[in-house]
Structure formats: C-alpha cells, structure tokens
Amino acid sequence: MRKILLGTTAVVAAVAVSAPAFAQGAPTVRIGGSIQAYWGYIQQNGAQSEPGTAAAVPNAVPGGTGALTTGSFGRLGKHDIVTIPQFSVIVSGKLANGITYGGNIDLTFNNQESRTVIPGNRNVGVSRSAPAVDEAWIFVAHPRFGQVRFGDEDGVMGGLMNSGWITGFGTGGVFGVWENFQTRAVANRTQTAPGGLGDNSKIVYMSPQFFGFDFGASFAPNFGSMGQHGCIADVVNTFCDRAYAFRGATGAAIPVRGGELGARRNEYQLAARWRGNLAGVGLSATAGYIGSGTARDLTDTNRQVRTLNGLDVWQFGAQASYMGFTVGAAYFFGNTNFFWGNTIRGARNGQQLTAGISYTSGPITVGANFMSGLFEGGDNSTFSTATGAVTRNAAPTVFNPAAGVGANTLASQRRWGMGFGANYRLAPGLDLIAEYVFHSVREQGADLDAGRAGIQSRGVANVFILGSRLAF
Amino acid sequence: MRNLVRTFLTLSVALPLLAACSGGRLVGNEEYGTDNQRERILRQTGANPTTAGVVVFGVDRSRQQDQAAAGGGGMTVNAFLWRATLDTLAFMPLASADPFGGVVITDWYTPPQAPSERFKATAYVLGRQLRSDGVRVQLFRQVLRNGQWVDAPSSSTTNSELEDRVLARARELRSQSASR
C-alpha cells in the first residue's frame, strides 16, 4: 500500500507541475449601444408664464413668419416623447502576466435643453441631438493589486461602489428618466443621486476583494469633464475649470453654468464595501466619504476670498436580495446642496434618505423607491466684491407668503419624491416600461415659480411614462 | 470630522495593501455600479454586457465560448472538459484521443520517483455539459517483478483525484475564457 501511495502521489504531483500560466488574449474591440424611447404625460408647476402683464402678448406669427417675442411667455403642453440614443465602444484584453486592460467610450445624444430660439429665428446653443462624450476611461486590473481607472468616469461614491440605491426597475423610479420631461423652472429635475456627482476627469483605484471587503478611492482636480473645460479665452477667465479663483465663484456652486462648470475643486471620494451571503440572502453595505475644495471668489482688488464650503459628505447604504426581492436604503449628510453643489459658508448641512424595493419574477420586474432630503434654500447670502464679505441676508420684516408679501430667503428646502415602475422583458436587452414619479420641492416663503403671480413656495411634478428601451 | 476622514483615508490605503499581501479576488467590472445606460439596460434585462454588441476588432470569444459549451466545432463532448483532460494527462505519453467519443488513452508512464512502477490512464468525457460528473478517469498500474511488468491494484482515490484535477483545470479554462 505504501508503494501504491508513493507512486500515485507522484502521478498526481506530476499533474500539478503541468498546470500552465495565464493565457494571453489579444484585445477585442466591441461596439454596442442603446436606444430609449418614452412617452411621458407631465403635470408640473412652472408650466406657464405670468399672465396679464403688458409685454406678455406673443407676436402674431401668421404663416410661421416673423420674429418670436423673447421672454417667458408660453404654456407647456402635458405630453412629449423623449428619445435617448447612445453608442459605446468597449475594449478589453488580457496579458500573460494576468493583467487585464481595456477602456470605454460612451457617446450619448442627450443634451439637456437644446437650442434657444431668439428674435430673428436664430438658434443658439447645442442641439439636443448633438453627440457628446458621456464617459471615456481606460482600466488596468490585476488580481493581486486591484483596478485603476483613468479618464472621465464616475467616482467610487458616484455610483461605482454605492449600496442601497434601488433603481433596478422601470427607468430608475425617482432617480430615473422622468427628469428628462422636466423644465428648469422649480428645479424638480435636479437630483442628489450618485451619478449626479459627475463623471469629471479623474483617477480611480479599487482594491481586490478579501473577506468580502473591497475599497476604493478616486480623485478629480476639478468639476470639468475632458479637462481644460471652458479654458478657451486668451486670458484667465471665469469659465475655465482650472481657475482656482475667479469672480463669481460664489454663484457657481451649483454646476449648471456652462455645461459642467462648477466651483468644486480637488474632489476626492473614498469607499469601503462589504458583500456577502448569509443564509441565502445576498447582502451589500457601503460606507463612503465625498470631500472637495472650492474655487475662491475675487474682490475688486483681486483679493481671494473663500466663500464656499467644500463638499464634506458621509454616505452609508445597505441592501439585501432574496428570492427575487431586493430592498435597500441609503443616507448621506454633510456639506452639500441639493445638486451636489458647494454650499455658501454658514449654510446648513444637507441630508437625504432614500429607500426602495424591487421584485423580479421571470420576465417581470416591479419596484418602488422614494427620497426625502433637507437642504439649504437658495440665495441666503450675499457676496460683496467690494469688501469680500459674505453676508447672511436679513429676514423680511413683513412676511405673509399666502398674500405674496416678503419673500423669505432664509428657509431650508425640503425635497421629496417617490416612484413606482414595472418592466416586462420582451427579450434579452429589450424592455417594455411603465412608470410613475411624483416629486416635490418646498421652501417656505421662497418663490419657486417666477412665472406665476405671488410667492409659490411649492413646486411639484407628476410624470407618467410608457416606453421601451433596447440595448445591444 | 477631519479626524474621521483621516482615519478613513488611512484604512482605505492600508486595507488594499493588506488585500494585496493576502491575495484577494479581482472584482469584475460587472460588480461595480454604472451610469452607462447601455450597461444598465443589459444588466436589468438579463443580457450580458461583456458579450453584447458587435466585435469589430479581435476575436469574439463569447461566441467561441457558446460554441464550446455546446460542443461546437464538430465536437460532441464539452470542449473545456476535453481540453482539461488533455492538459491534465499531458505528462503521460498519449496513445490515442478521440474527440468525438470523448476518450483519451495514454501509454504507460513511469514516474521518476518510482522506477519500478508504471501507470496508464483512460479518461472518458461523458457529455456536452460542464458538470462535475462529466469526466471519468481510470488509472491502471503495473509493478516490476523479476524483470516482468505485472498488474497491480491502484488506489481508488487516485482516480477521483485525477478527476478533480481535470475539473479544476476545466473551471480554470472556463474562467480564463470568460474574462477575456
């Protein structure tokens, strides 16, 4: 028997020695894409301009000729069809030493607002159907050292490693496509969701997983995508994303001025995630931090004044999956406004809770989610370019919002919404979708709808969506 | 707050280093969240983002995998098990290999550590599916007595050990194929 064991052990040992190394693979370039098409029925505030003023009579345009009158004179219809195409180029390869590498370029045709028609019927701006690079990044990964991504990509807390955000039904419920059916008035469309942090140019590191844990960190020098965003003038200007100080930085806290221009600088994100399986229940939990500096404002004498808080946000989330059900919740708090913008110094912290549930059975998925957040309201402080002082605005002496007297500029802003959705999977990559979303913004005494008479402290949106989407 | 961030930052740097030392598992791209609409739709509709689309440069390995799993290319047995069997028994001289019947027969092999013994193996790949009972290995043993090779019993655990090696190699091949 001893001889048998000796000989057979040698046979098995010979097998072990013969195991080869990693197989090298030539790079593969793949082209894919998606088409989304939705019909939406919309009821929202901010759908009409103020009636009755003398100038608010549109020019007659008989036969379609003649100039349009500028200004906010119009009424919005209640339905529309939105189409969102996208192309992706995906590269992947593997080296003999185990390193995998590749990259992604996503070309999206979804510019938010399209052209504006000005008198003389000239179009200004970018067409809504114009292509724009959404993400473009390279990755290099190794089983022992983890993965590095470099380029325009979300950060580790900007969607890569978050837990608890339940969006895998409909188009994402309250964080879904309904925002494309909103206008800027009342700002119902702005959301504090992970993807909203932006895919500004950054470097991302994500560790291997051990004992269920993996970690990540990312850094971006500023808020601009592709780099050198807006740096086109011969002299240093306000709109260059590399400017660490510029006149008007206080007002650029919310990243809406000129595409992706914002005052955020030196953004870094950290994430720790645990995933595991307990008694057949799939679990995931993430703790993360989002920090940044800000650009400084300049006075008349070119003195640099720090008027904004950096992002300083903690986020915690967890989710569980069992038998087709997924439930989750996420909470964040810290220095941020309702659009991942920087708050003015002295402003209150922002906080938001979101929770959701989804259930998948065969080709059908149903789900619901909600969000509720409390943030600093708008225009609560004033920056003096003469003295460099940031002054908290005074409360109105006479305040009666019901009568439209004395707009309040010191209130906090409550934002909440909920969404319900259902998908029917017609084929792999093809969905039919029905979804309903309600969203509300409240700021007591602040006028959220300038198009209507009086002070409108509340703006709501109801959107019902029917549509389909195809990815290939 | 800043102290908390500093602690978090330290952990975030130290723990990945620990992971690197202890040998962690590479997290696949599909395990990260995405803001890419195409990938989100594919994930939610049960399609595979790594195999969808059209390959314009390189080899479409996903198609190869599909064909291999289905025993494509004229083979009637699982290609991963077949290749794994050949790899595993490659240290012995090969006498015959029939990919249609799924039979591999080796010639006699004498391990350097035991010059008075020799082994011969016959392996059967049993079907198209990659499953744990998809391969059978039978090892034959002879010992040298008085200048003559005579049959001798072999350990039954050796057969199952060799089958385990084949299955492990098949899994490895499948994994490498999927990650390309």
Side-chain angles (χ1 to χ4, degrees):
Chain A
M1 180 57 86
R2 193 191 64 80
K3 277 192 171 181
I4 293 174
L5 285 175
L6 178 68
T8 52
T9 304
V11 169
V12 174
V15 176
V17 170
S18 67
F22 293 101
Q24 179 158 342
T28 302
V29 181
R30 190 178 290 275
I31 289 181
S34 65
I35 307 164
Q36 302 178 72
Y38 305 105
W39 171 80
Y41 177 80
I42 313 113
Q43 285 189 330
Q44 65 165 99
N45 290 117
Q48 62 181 24
S49 56
E50 186 169 355
T53 58
V57 180
N59 280 358
V61 189
T65 59
L68 299 178
T69 298
T70 57
S72 302
F73 313 122
R75 305 285 186 272
L76 298 184
K78 290 192 186 308
H79 70 107
D80 203 354
I81 292 176
V82 161
T83 309
I84 308 169
Q86 182 191 37
F87 278 117
S88 294
V89 181
I90 307 111
V91 184
S92 62
K94 187 173 185 179
L95 302 178
N97 56 12
I99 289 178
T100 52
Y101 65 94
N104 227 58
I105 303 171
D106 302 320
L107 208 55
T108 306
F109 303 76
N110 189 27
N111 286 292
Q112 186 79 327
E113 292 172 316
S114 182
R115 294 182 171 126
T116 300
V117 180
I118 63 170
N121 288 351
R122 284 183 293 124
N123 290 333
V124 174
V126 178
S127 167
R128 196 176 129 65
S129 60
V133 172
D134 183 21
E135 289 168 353
W137 46 272
I138 300 164
F139 80 91
V140 178
H142 187 275
R144 182 167 287 271
F145 301 109
Q147 179 174 147
V148 173
R149 290 186 185 183
F150 200 25
D152 283 23
E153 165 67 320
D154 299 299
V156 292
M157 288 307 293
L160 288 177
M161 295 177 70
N162 303 64
S163 298
W165 299 77
I166 306 300
T167 57
F169 64 92
T171 69
V174 75
F175 303 112
V177 161
W178 71 277
E179 294 176 43
N180 285 56
F181 288 99
Q182 292 296 297
T183 57
R184 187 181 291 203
V186 190
N188 269 301
R189 71 182 186 181
T190 53
Q191 293 290 293
T192 322
L197 264 169
D199 42 27
N200 41 348
S201 307
K202 57 171 69 75
I203 185 164
V204 182
Y205 169 74
M206 292 174 290
S207 78
Q209 185 187 39
F210 70 109
F211 304 118
F213 288 93
D214 60 336
F215 304 88
S218 60
F219 173 77
N222 50 58
F223 194 71
S225 60
M226 314 286 286
Q228 296 293 99
H229 195 101
C231 310
I232 53 174
D234 293 337
V235 293
V236 175
N237 68 84
T238 303
F239 300 104
C240 180
D241 64 5
R242 204 149 54 86
Y244 66 87
F246 58 89
R247 174 71 58 80
T250 314
I254 296 178
V256 293
R257 294 182 56 187
E260 296 179 334
L261 176 80
R264 189 191 308 167
R265 297 290 183 272
N266 296 322
E267 169 211 301
Y268 58 100
Q269 303 176 27
L270 306 168
R273 179 172 66 163
W274 176 83
R275 288 173 297 155
N277 193 310
L278 294 178
V281 180
L283 299 170
S284 174
T286 300
Y289 178 79
I290 304 155
S292 83
T294 69
R296 300 176 181 220
D297 216 328
L298 288 176
T299 65
D300 295 337
T301 57
N302 286 332
R303 186 159 62 90
Q304 299 172 20
V305 183
R306 186 169 174 229
T307 57
L308 297 168
N309 293 310
L311 288 180
D312 182 19
V313 183
W314 287 91
Q315 184 182 132
F316 303 92
Q319 65 189 61
S321 300
Y322 182 69
M323 299 283 284
F325 283 97
T326 301
V327 295
Y331 176 73
F332 70 76
F333 63 94
N335 278 328
T336 180
N337 69 15
F338 59 85
F339 201 29
W340 295 120
N342 302 98
T343 51
I344 295 177
R345 298 187 82 174
R348 63 158 293 147
N349 282 348
Q351 54 184 298
Q352 181 176 300
L353 173 70
T354 179
I357 182 170
S358 68
Y359 175 68
T360 299
S361 177
I364 295 174
T365 299
V366 294
N369 59 9
F370 91 99
M371 55 78 60
S372 177
L374 191 59
F375 301 92
E376 179 78 352
D379 297 330
N380 291 6
S381 302
T382 303
F383 172 66
S384 167
T385 57
T387 65
V390 177
T391 311
R392 190 80 172 163
N393 294 338
T397 51
V398 180
F399 176 53
N400 184 357
V405 177
N408 183 14
T409 56
L410 296 178
S412 297
Q413 190 173 91
R414 167 70 70 184
R415 307 170 71 84
W416 81 275
M418 58 183 178
F420 308 90
N423 309 47
Y424 179 74
R425 194 175 81 202
L426 212 56
L430 177 61
D431 254 359
L432 302 180
I433 290 175
E435 188 169 57
Y436 166 74
V437 174
F438 169 82
H439 192 267
S440 161
V441 180
R442 289 170 184 261
E443 187 176 339
Q444 186 62 28
D447 191 5
L448 298 175
D449 186 357
R452 295 180 63 191
I455 295 173
Q456 307 297 324
S457 301
R458 180 170 182 251
V460 299
N462 287 277
V463 181
F464 178 70
I465 295 170
L466 282 176
S468 64
R469 57 186 190 179
L470 170 68
F472 52 92
Chain B
M1 186 68 94
R2 289 286 164 198
N3 285 338
L4 271 174
V5 173
R6 202 169 295 128
T7 306
F8 200 71
L9 189 60
T10 307
L11 282 174
S12 300
V13 172
L15 290 173
L17 286 175
L18 179 64
C21 294
S22 66
R25 181 186 69 86
L26 180 65
V27 180
N29 280 338
E30 69 283 358
E31 296 175 64
Y32 296 114
T34 179
D35 210 26
N36 180 303
Q37 293 300 312
R38 169 186 176 268
E39 192 151 344
R40 287 180 71 139
I41 295 168
L42 288 170
R43 288 183 187 183
Q44 286 182 27
T45 55
N48 186 349
T50 61
T51 59
V54 180
V55 171
V56 293
F57 180 79
V59 179
D60 190 352
R61 298 187 192 284
S62 60
R63 197 155 292 173
Q64 283 184 337
Q65 287 163 26
D66 292 343
Q67 288 175 350
M75 294 182 70
T76 57
V77 295
N78 185 277
F80 295 119
L81 282 175
W82 174 254
R83 174 76 193 281
T85 305
L86 290 176
D87 280 359
T88 306
L89 299 178
F91 69 99
M92 301 170 84
L94 196 62
S96 101
D98 174 13
F100 300 102
V103 181
V104 176
I105 302 171
T106 74
D107 210 339
W108 289 104
Y109 165 74
T110 301
Q113 301 93 326
S116 60
E117 297 178 56
R118 64 178 188 175
F119 297 87
K120 185 182 178 76
T122 305
Y124 306 93
V125 180
L126 299 173
R128 290 183 169 220
Q129 291 177 314
L130 178 55
R131 42 189 290 173
S132 59
D133 59 355
V135 65
R136 287 278 175 275
V137 178
Q138 181 66 50
L139 200 64
F140 301 97
R141 174 170 172 262
Q142 288 187 336
V143 295
L144 193 61
R145 282 185 194 148
N146 302 322
Q148 295 285 324
W149 289 106
V150 294
D151 289 340
S154 72
S155 167
S156 59
T157 57
T158 310
N159 293 334
S160 55
E161 273 191 71
L162 283 170
E163 287 166 8
D164 289 346
R165 298 281 184 183
V166 172
L167 292 170
R169 177 66 183 140
R171 197 161 51 237
E172 191 180 315
L173 288 170
R174 177 72 183 83
S175 169
Q176 285 181 6
S177 178
S179 62
R180 281 174 192 174

